[in-house]
Amino acid sequence: MKRLLLFHLCLFTLFLLSASEYYESNVLMQEKAVTDRLSGSGYELEKNGEERILYLDGEVVKRVSERDGVRTVTDRNSVTLYEEGRPVKIMTEGVYGKREELYEYSPEGVLKRVITVTEDGLESITEYDYTPSSGLSSFRRDDYSDPMYIGRDSTTFISDGDAVKINVVSGLILRESSTDGYSVEDDTVKVREGSDELFYSAGTGLLMEKRAGDGTVTKYEYRDGELVSEESRKGSEVTLTEYLPSLIRTTMKEDGVIRRIREKGASGITETVYRNSMPYAVITYDSDGKRVLEVRII
């Protein structure tokens, strides 16, 4: 009898350890509203013991787990292993086959060498040099061609014949080249990425505004470092997404007039359609946000 009770207790403990928790989320894997299951719509986060899984529209896009001091981050095409906060191995798989990058550090935790291996064997060995005054000063690959030179706040290298300089400003890693650049104005870091312009807070490093090449302007608002809303404008169309404690509300306007308000929470997904600035109908969707379950005229 005691063995039977012990067996059931072990099963119950195992169930508790393996039980999953679900949240509304975003690309940063932040925990938003708690849900009882995955809906298959938007960003969602599953927590199961030591593993966190990020979904986008029902597909896994990222896994993060911690076991025995090793942090494993799995993206769609790569797996990165971290020890003591440093990457020690990156494994990728793409159209050109499998590839591994192995990182070696000094006893003080300073990167000394990166070894790249493909299915065909050893591809490259990159060694790093340091100076007492500036730290990392340069690195070279195999035959010492195409060296990269590194100063205290910037890195310079050649990429496809284009000189590229990488700078660290307010915790942001910024790129200068023939297509990309940045400038600092008061408390704002303005970044140019091709035809897009991004504006970051110099104090927090958070993205505050994005001006896309197609004319879309998106502004972001935070509270205690958490994204609470984003507003996108393109011509006369405005889309406001609010990340509230219990739901995500998206309001769509045109010429300043509300057209639709969609709310996604633990109880499901509903959308209110407006006509002549007044609520006209309420549409209830399935958890996937696509299949209509009910249309109710107000």
Side-chain angles (χ1 to χ4, degrees):
M1 184 65 178
K2 290 183 178 179
R3 291 182 179 179
L4 184 60
L5 290 174
L6 181 60
F7 175 73
H8 284 294
L9 180 60
C10 291
L11 285 179
F12 181 70
T13 303
L14 182 62
F15 172 77
L16 291 178
L17 291 175
S18 61
S20 294
E21 300 173 3
Y22 304 102
Y23 302 86
E24 300 286 351
S25 188
N26 53 33
V27 69
L28 302 179
M29 296 187 77
Q30 295 175 332
E31 298 174 11
K32 298 298 181 181
V34 178
T35 62
D36 58 355
R37 62 188 176 91
L38 297 174
S39 70
S41 177
Y43 282 107
E44 297 175 294
L45 182 67
E46 176 183 356
K47 292 177 62 178
N48 190 337
E50 298 174 329
E51 186 175 45
R52 293 158 54 88
I53 306 172
L54 181 67
Y55 298 84
L56 175 59
D57 295 333
E59 294 187 9
V60 176
V61 294
K62 191 172 186 178
R63 293 177 181 266
V64 179
S65 63
E66 304 242 6
R67 294 185 180 90
D68 301 324
V70 178
R71 184 169 183 255
T72 304
V73 178
T74 304
D75 291 315
R76 295 190 177 185
N77 298 313
S78 69
V79 178
T80 304
L81 306 182
Y82 295 84
E83 292 182 6
E84 298 180 355
R86 299 187 294 265
V88 294
K89 180 187 288 189
I90 300 177
M91 297 169 285
T92 58
E93 184 172 0
V95 294
Y96 299 107
K98 296 180 180 179
R99 177 189 182 97
E100 288 189 5
E101 294 180 358
L102 308 174
Y103 294 75
E104 297 181 0
Y105 300 86
S106 71
E108 295 77 25
V110 178
L111 180 64
K112 298 293 293 183
R113 185 178 295 109
V114 177
I115 302 173
T116 303
V117 181
T118 67
E119 294 176 331
D120 297 326
L122 178 65
E123 180 181 86
S124 67
I125 298 177
T126 305
E127 297 184 350
Y128 296 84
D129 292 330
Y130 301 84
T131 62
S133 60
S134 64
L136 182 61
S137 59
S138 67
F139 71 81
R140 56 196 180 275
R141 293 181 60 185
D142 302 334
D143 58 359
Y144 301 95
S145 63
D146 295 332
M148 177 180 288
Y149 298 97
I150 301 173
R152 183 173 297 277
D153 300 312
S154 65
T155 301
T156 303
F157 60 94
I158 303 298
S159 176
D160 296 329
D162 188 13
V164 179
K165 186 176 183 180
I166 303 297
N167 303 273
V168 179
V169 178
S170 299
L172 300 170
I173 300 177
L174 306 176
R175 176 185 176 105
E176 286 186 284
S177 68
S178 60
T179 58
D180 304 331
Y182 77 94
S183 61
V184 180
E185 302 172 4
D186 298 327
D187 60 349
T188 301
V189 180
K190 178 182 177 181
V191 178
R192 174 172 52 86
E193 294 182 354
S195 60
D196 297 341
E197 291 183 339
L198 300 92
F199 299 81
Y200 294 86
S201 166
T204 64
L206 294 173
L207 176 62
M208 307 305 295
E209 183 177 328
K210 178 180 179 180
R211 300 177 184 175
D214 64 357
T216 302
V217 177
T218 304
K219 295 185 178 181
Y220 304 85
E221 291 191 8
Y222 304 83
R223 184 178 298 116
D224 298 327
E226 292 276 337
L227 180 65
V228 295
S229 70
E230 55 185 272
E231 182 184 75
S232 295
R233 292 177 175 267
K234 184 177 181 180
S236 61
E237 298 180 354
V238 178
T239 300
L240 172 64
T241 301
E242 300 170 278
Y243 299 98
L244 304 174
S246 58
L247 58 85
I248 298 176
R249 178 188 296 134
T250 302
T251 303
M252 289 149 278
K253 297 182 180 180
E254 187 174 352
D255 294 324
V257 178
I258 297 177
R259 299 301 186 188
R260 301 190 305 276
I261 296 179
R262 174 173 286 208
E263 294 185 340
K264 179 181 178 182
S267 59
I269 302 174
T270 60
E271 184 174 275
T272 302
V273 179
Y274 284 71
R275 178 178 291 182
N276 298 325
S277 301
M278 297 295 293
Y280 171 73
V282 176
I283 305 173
T284 302
Y285 291 90
D286 197 1
S287 58
D288 61 4
K290 299 176 182 178
R291 191 165 66 94
V292 176
L293 299 179
E294 180 187 21
V295 176
R296 180 169 56 89
I297 305 300
I298 300 177

PDB file of all heavy atoms in Angstrom, residues 203-227:
ATOM      1  N   GLY A 203      19.024  57.209 -23.160  1.00  0.00           N
ATOM      2  CA  GLY A 203      19.097  56.842 -21.751  1.00  0.00           C
ATOM      3  C   GLY A 203      18.783  55.385 -21.492  1.00  0.00           C
ATOM      4  O   GLY A 203      19.447  54.726 -20.685  1.00  0.00           O
ATOM      5  N   THR A 204      17.786  54.838 -22.185  1.00  0.00           N
ATOM      6  CA  THR A 204      17.348  53.467 -21.928  1.00  0.00           C
ATOM      7  C   THR A 204      17.711  52.494 -23.039  1.00  0.00           C
ATOM      8  O   THR A 204      17.713  51.279 -22.816  1.00  0.00           O
ATOM      9  CB  THR A 204      15.825  53.419 -21.728  1.00  0.00           C
ATOM     10  OG1 THR A 204      15.177  53.824 -22.947  1.00  0.00           O
ATOM     11  CG2 THR A 204      15.400  54.344 -20.601  1.00  0.00           C
ATOM     12  N   GLY A 205      18.013  52.998 -24.243  1.00  0.00           N
ATOM     13  CA  GLY A 205      18.296  52.116 -25.367  1.00  0.00           C
ATOM     14  C   GLY A 205      17.053  51.517 -25.992  1.00  0.00           C
ATOM     15  O   GLY A 205      17.142  50.681 -26.889  1.00  0.00           O
ATOM     16  N   LEU A 206      15.851  51.944 -25.542  1.00  0.00           N
ATOM     17  CA  LEU A 206      14.603  51.400 -26.062  1.00  0.00           C
ATOM     18  C   LEU A 206      14.207  52.091 -27.369  1.00  0.00           C
ATOM     19  O   LEU A 206      14.409  53.297 -27.528  1.00  0.00           O
ATOM     20  CB  LEU A 206      13.476  51.565 -25.046  1.00  0.00           C
ATOM     21  CG  LEU A 206      13.616  50.761 -23.745  1.00  0.00           C
ATOM     22  CD1 LEU A 206      12.527  51.159 -22.767  1.00  0.00           C
ATOM     23  CD2 LEU A 206      13.561  49.265 -24.022  1.00  0.00           C
ATOM     24  N   LEU A 207      13.636  51.308 -28.283  1.00  0.00           N
ATOM     25  CA  LEU A 207      13.148  51.863 -29.550  1.00  0.00           C
ATOM     26  C   LEU A 207      11.898  52.692 -29.287  1.00  0.00           C
ATOM     27  O   LEU A 207      10.914  52.206 -28.737  1.00  0.00           O
ATOM     28  CB  LEU A 207      12.825  50.722 -30.521  1.00  0.00           C
ATOM     29  CG  LEU A 207      12.214  51.118 -31.869  1.00  0.00           C
ATOM     30  CD1 LEU A 207      13.173  51.986 -32.661  1.00  0.00           C
ATOM     31  CD2 LEU A 207      11.835  49.873 -32.671  1.00  0.00           C
ATOM     32  N   MET A 208      11.922  53.963 -29.692  1.00  0.00           N
ATOM     33  CA  MET A 208      10.810  54.870 -29.443  1.00  0.00           C
ATOM     34  C   MET A 208       9.973  55.117 -30.697  1.00  0.00           C
ATOM     35  O   MET A 208       8.765  55.315 -30.603  1.00  0.00           O
ATOM     36  CB  MET A 208      11.327  56.214 -28.903  1.00  0.00           C
ATOM     37  CG  MET A 208      12.233  56.092 -27.683  1.00  0.00           C
ATOM     38  SD  MET A 208      11.474  55.168 -26.315  1.00  0.00           S
ATOM     39  CE  MET A 208      10.132  56.258 -25.884  1.00  0.00           C
ATOM     40  N   GLU A 209      10.618  55.106 -31.861  1.00  0.00           N
ATOM     41  CA  GLU A 209       9.878  55.397 -33.098  1.00  0.00           C
ATOM     42  C   GLU A 209      10.589  54.766 -34.287  1.00  0.00           C
ATOM     43  O   GLU A 209      11.825  54.683 -34.314  1.00  0.00           O
ATOM     44  CB  GLU A 209       9.767  56.907 -33.307  1.00  0.00           C
ATOM     45  CG  GLU A 209       8.964  57.328 -34.522  1.00  0.00           C
ATOM     46  CD  GLU A 209       8.826  58.842 -34.636  1.00  0.00           C
ATOM     47  OE1 GLU A 209       8.777  59.512 -33.574  1.00  0.00           O
ATOM     48  OE2 GLU A 209       8.771  59.352 -35.769  1.00  0.00           O
ATOM     49  N   LYS A 210       9.792  54.320 -35.265  1.00  0.00           N
ATOM     50  CA  LYS A 210      10.347  53.779 -36.506  1.00  0.00           C
ATOM     51  C   LYS A 210       9.622  54.424 -37.674  1.00  0.00           C
ATOM     52  O   LYS A 210       8.395  54.425 -37.729  1.00  0.00           O
ATOM     53  CB  LYS A 210      10.187  52.259 -36.571  1.00  0.00           C
ATOM     54  CG  LYS A 210      10.700  51.660 -37.871  1.00  0.00           C
ATOM     55  CD  LYS A 210      10.535  50.150 -37.906  1.00  0.00           C
ATOM     56  CE  LYS A 210      11.035  49.563 -39.217  1.00  0.00           C
ATOM     57  NZ  LYS A 210      10.890  48.087 -39.260  1.00  0.00           N
ATOM     58  N   ARG A 211      10.387  54.964 -38.619  1.00  0.00           N
ATOM     59  CA  ARG A 211       9.843  55.547 -39.833  1.00  0.00           C
ATOM     60  C   ARG A 211      10.296  54.679 -41.002  1.00  0.00           C
ATOM     61  O   ARG A 211      11.458  54.719 -41.403  1.00  0.00           O
ATOM     62  CB  ARG A 211      10.322  56.987 -40.004  1.00  0.00           C
ATOM     63  CG  ARG A 211       9.898  57.904 -38.853  1.00  0.00           C
ATOM     64  CD  ARG A 211      10.455  59.301 -39.015  1.00  0.00           C
ATOM     65  NE  ARG A 211      10.131  60.145 -37.869  1.00  0.00           N
ATOM     66  CZ  ARG A 211      10.573  61.389 -37.695  1.00  0.00           C
ATOM     67  NH1 ARG A 211      11.371  61.928 -38.635  1.00  0.00           N
ATOM     68  NH2 ARG A 211      10.252  62.075 -36.626  1.00  0.00           N
ATOM     69  N   ALA A 212       9.383  53.878 -41.510  1.00  0.00           N
ATOM     70  CA  ALA A 212       9.708  52.931 -42.580  1.00  0.00           C
ATOM     71  C   ALA A 212       9.738  53.620 -43.929  1.00  0.00           C
ATOM     72  O   ALA A 212       9.136  54.686 -44.129  1.00  0.00           O
ATOM     73  CB  ALA A 212       8.693  51.786 -42.590  1.00  0.00           C
ATOM     74  N   GLY A 213      10.434  52.986 -44.860  1.00  0.00           N
ATOM     75  CA  GLY A 213      10.562  53.559 -46.187  1.00  0.00           C
ATOM     76  C   GLY A 213       9.248  53.643 -46.929  1.00  0.00           C
ATOM     77  O   GLY A 213       9.118  54.442 -47.862  1.00  0.00           O
ATOM     78  N   ASP A 214       8.244  52.841 -46.546  1.00  0.00           N
ATOM     79  CA  ASP A 214       6.943  52.890 -47.224  1.00  0.00           C
ATOM     80  C   ASP A 214       6.023  53.972 -46.674  1.00  0.00           C
ATOM     81  O   ASP A 214       4.860  54.071 -47.067  1.00  0.00           O
ATOM     82  CB  ASP A 214       6.246  51.531 -47.137  1.00  0.00           C
ATOM     83  CG  ASP A 214       5.899  51.143 -45.696  1.00  0.00           C
ATOM     84  OD1 ASP A 214       6.248  51.895 -44.768  1.00  0.00           O
ATOM     85  OD2 ASP A 214       5.286  50.074 -45.513  1.00  0.00           O
ATOM     86  N   GLY A 215       6.542  54.787 -45.739  1.00  0.00           N
ATOM     87  CA  GLY A 215       5.750  55.887 -45.180  1.00  0.00           C
ATOM     88  C   GLY A 215       5.084  55.565 -43.856  1.00  0.00           C
ATOM     89  O   GLY A 215       4.488  56.454 -43.231  1.00  0.00           O
ATOM     90  N   THR A 216       5.191  54.339 -43.377  1.00  0.00           N
ATOM     91  CA  THR A 216       4.588  53.963 -42.098  1.00  0.00           C
ATOM     92  C   THR A 216       5.439  54.491 -40.944  1.00  0.00           C
ATOM     93  O   THR A 216       6.658  54.306 -40.915  1.00  0.00           O
ATOM     94  CB  THR A 216       4.468  52.434 -41.976  1.00  0.00           C
ATOM     95  OG1 THR A 216       3.679  51.934 -43.054  1.00  0.00           O
ATOM     96  CG2 THR A 216       3.816  52.052 -40.655  1.00  0.00           C
ATOM     97  N   VAL A 217       4.786  55.141 -39.981  1.00  0.00           N
ATOM     98  CA  VAL A 217       5.461  55.649 -38.785  1.00  0.00           C
ATOM     99  C   VAL A 217       4.874  54.933 -37.571  1.00  0.00           C
ATOM    100  O   VAL A 217       3.664  54.981 -37.341  1.00  0.00           O
ATOM    101  CB  VAL A 217       5.285  57.172 -38.632  1.00  0.00           C
ATOM    102  CG1 VAL A 217       5.945  57.656 -37.339  1.00  0.00           C
ATOM    103  CG2 VAL A 217       5.890  57.901 -39.840  1.00  0.00           C
ATOM    104  N   THR A 218       5.733  54.274 -36.798  1.00  0.00           N
ATOM    105  CA  THR A 218       5.292  53.522 -35.628  1.00  0.00           C
ATOM    106  C   THR A 218       5.964  54.092 -34.387  1.00  0.00           C
ATOM    107  O   THR A 218       7.185  54.258 -34.353  1.00  0.00           O
ATOM    108  CB  THR A 218       5.631  52.029 -35.749  1.00  0.00           C
ATOM    109  OG1 THR A 218       5.059  51.515 -36.959  1.00  0.00           O
ATOM    110  CG2 THR A 218       5.083  51.251 -34.569  1.00  0.00           C
ATOM    111  N   LYS A 219       5.153  54.406 -33.370  1.00  0.00           N
ATOM    112  CA  LYS A 219       5.668  54.915 -32.102  1.00  0.00           C
ATOM    113  C   LYS A 219       5.405  53.888 -31.004  1.00  0.00           C
ATOM    114  O   LYS A 219       4.363  53.243 -30.986  1.00  0.00           O
ATOM    115  CB  LYS A 219       5.019  56.249 -31.753  1.00  0.00           C
ATOM    116  CG  LYS A 219       5.366  57.367 -32.734  1.00  0.00           C
ATOM    117  CD  LYS A 219       4.793  58.710 -32.285  1.00  0.00           C
ATOM    118  CE  LYS A 219       5.201  59.825 -33.253  1.00  0.00           C
ATOM    119  NZ  LYS A 219       4.682  61.141 -32.821  1.00  0.00           N
ATOM    120  N   TYR A 220       6.376  53.759 -30.076  1.00  0.00           N
ATOM    121  CA  TYR A 220       6.310  52.765 -29.017  1.00  0.00           C
ATOM    122  C   TYR A 220       6.308  53.449 -27.654  1.00  0.00           C
ATOM    123  O   TYR A 220       7.039  54.429 -27.441  1.00  0.00           O
ATOM    124  CB  TYR A 220       7.506  51.814 -29.104  1.00  0.00           C
ATOM    125  CG  TYR A 220       7.630  51.124 -30.445  1.00  0.00           C
ATOM    126  CD1 TYR A 220       8.294  51.747 -31.506  1.00  0.00           C
ATOM    127  CD2 TYR A 220       7.091  49.869 -30.658  1.00  0.00           C
ATOM    128  CE1 TYR A 220       8.411  51.122 -32.746  1.00  0.00           C
ATOM    129  CE2 TYR A 220       7.201  49.236 -31.895  1.00  0.00           C
ATOM    130  CZ  TYR A 220       7.862  49.872 -32.932  1.00  0.00           C
ATOM    131  OH  TYR A 220       7.978  49.259 -34.154  1.00  0.00           O
ATOM    132  N   GLU A 221       5.498  52.937 -26.745  1.00  0.00           N
ATOM    133  CA  GLU A 221       5.458  53.450 -25.380  1.00  0.00           C
ATOM    134  C   GLU A 221       5.731  52.314 -24.397  1.00  0.00           C
ATOM    135  O   GLU A 221       5.294  51.177 -24.613  1.00  0.00           O
ATOM    136  CB  GLU A 221       4.103  54.089 -25.072  1.00  0.00           C
ATOM    137  CG  GLU A 221       3.855  55.388 -25.824  1.00  0.00           C
ATOM    138  CD  GLU A 221       2.640  56.138 -25.322  1.00  0.00           C
ATOM    139  OE1 GLU A 221       2.085  55.721 -24.283  1.00  0.00           O
ATOM    140  OE2 GLU A 221       2.252  57.134 -25.960  1.00  0.00           O
ATOM    141  N   TYR A 222       6.456  52.646 -23.319  1.00  0.00           N
ATOM    142  CA  TYR A 222       6.862  51.646 -22.341  1.00  0.00           C
ATOM    143  C   TYR A 222       6.469  52.093 -20.935  1.00  0.00           C
ATOM    144  O   TYR A 222       6.283  53.279 -20.666  1.00  0.00           O
ATOM    145  CB  TYR A 222       8.382  51.427 -22.388  1.00  0.00           C
ATOM    146  CG  TYR A 222       8.901  51.038 -23.743  1.00  0.00           C
ATOM    147  CD1 TYR A 222       9.181  52.005 -24.719  1.00  0.00           C
ATOM    148  CD2 TYR A 222       9.136  49.704 -24.071  1.00  0.00           C
ATOM    149  CE1 TYR A 222       9.673  51.657 -25.967  1.00  0.00           C
ATOM    150  CE2 TYR A 222       9.625  49.346 -25.324  1.00  0.00           C
ATOM    151  CZ  TYR A 222       9.892  50.322 -26.258  1.00  0.00           C
ATOM    152  OH  TYR A 222      10.377  49.972 -27.496  1.00  0.00           O
ATOM    153  N   ARG A 223       6.386  51.117 -20.043  1.00  0.00           N
ATOM    154  CA  ARG A 223       6.214  51.385 -18.624  1.00  0.00           C
ATOM    155  C   ARG A 223       7.117  50.427 -17.857  1.00  0.00           C
ATOM    156  O   ARG A 223       6.974  49.209 -17.954  1.00  0.00           O
ATOM    157  CB  ARG A 223       4.757  51.210 -18.195  1.00  0.00           C
ATOM    158  CG  ARG A 223       4.509  51.586 -16.726  1.00  0.00           C
ATOM    159  CD  ARG A 223       3.047  51.448 -16.346  1.00  0.00           C
ATOM    160  NE  ARG A 223       2.200  52.345 -17.128  1.00  0.00           N
ATOM    161  CZ  ARG A 223       1.281  51.937 -17.973  1.00  0.00           C
ATOM    162  NH1 ARG A 223       1.076  50.630 -18.150  1.00  0.00           N
ATOM    163  NH2 ARG A 223       0.552  52.801 -18.662  1.00  0.00           N
ATOM    164  N   ASP A 224       8.095  50.983 -17.139  1.00  0.00           N
ATOM    165  CA  ASP A 224       9.071  50.171 -16.413  1.00  0.00           C
ATOM    166  C   ASP A 224       9.771  49.186 -17.342  1.00  0.00           C
ATOM    167  O   ASP A 224      10.025  48.030 -16.982  1.00  0.00           O
ATOM    168  CB  ASP A 224       8.402  49.408 -15.261  1.00  0.00           C
ATOM    169  CG  ASP A 224       7.789  50.345 -14.218  1.00  0.00           C
ATOM    170  OD1 ASP A 224       8.359  51.430 -14.018  1.00  0.00           O
ATOM    171  OD2 ASP A 224       6.758  49.984 -13.631  1.00  0.00           O
ATOM    172  N   GLY A 225      10.098  49.642 -18.549  1.00  0.00           N
ATOM    173  CA  GLY A 225      10.811  48.818 -19.506  1.00  0.00           C
ATOM    174  C   GLY A 225       9.955  47.842 -20.273  1.00  0.00           C
ATOM    175  O   GLY A 225      10.452  47.152 -21.176  1.00  0.00           O
ATOM    176  N   GLU A 226       8.666  47.763 -19.970  1.00  0.00           N
ATOM    177  CA  GLU A 226       7.747  46.855 -20.657  1.00  0.00           C
ATOM    178  C   GLU A 226       6.998  47.619 -21.750  1.00  0.00           C
ATOM    179  O   GLU A 226       6.518  48.731 -21.525  1.00  0.00           O
ATOM    180  CB  GLU A 226       6.737  46.262 -19.673  1.00  0.00           C
ATOM    181  CG  GLU A 226       7.344  45.321 -18.658  1.00  0.00           C
ATOM    182  CD  GLU A 226       7.492  43.919 -19.196  1.00  0.00           C
ATOM    183  OE1 GLU A 226       6.763  43.565 -20.141  1.00  0.00           O
ATOM    184  OE2 GLU A 226       8.353  43.178 -18.680  1.00  0.00           O
ATOM    185  N   LEU A 227       6.904  47.015 -22.928  1.00  0.00           N
ATOM    186  CA  LEU A 227       6.150  47.621 -24.026  1.00  0.00           C
ATOM    187  C   LEU A 227       4.663  47.591 -23.682  1.00  0.00           C
ATOM    188  O   LEU A 227       4.093  46.536 -23.423  1.00  0.00           O
ATOM    189  CB  LEU A 227       6.401  46.841 -25.316  1.00  0.00           C
ATOM    190  CG  LEU A 227       5.687  47.345 -26.569  1.00  0.00           C
ATOM    191  CD1 LEU A 227       6.195  48.733 -26.960  1.00  0.00           C
ATOM    192  CD2 LEU A 227       5.895  46.371 -27.729  1.00  0.00           C
TER     193      LEU A 227
END
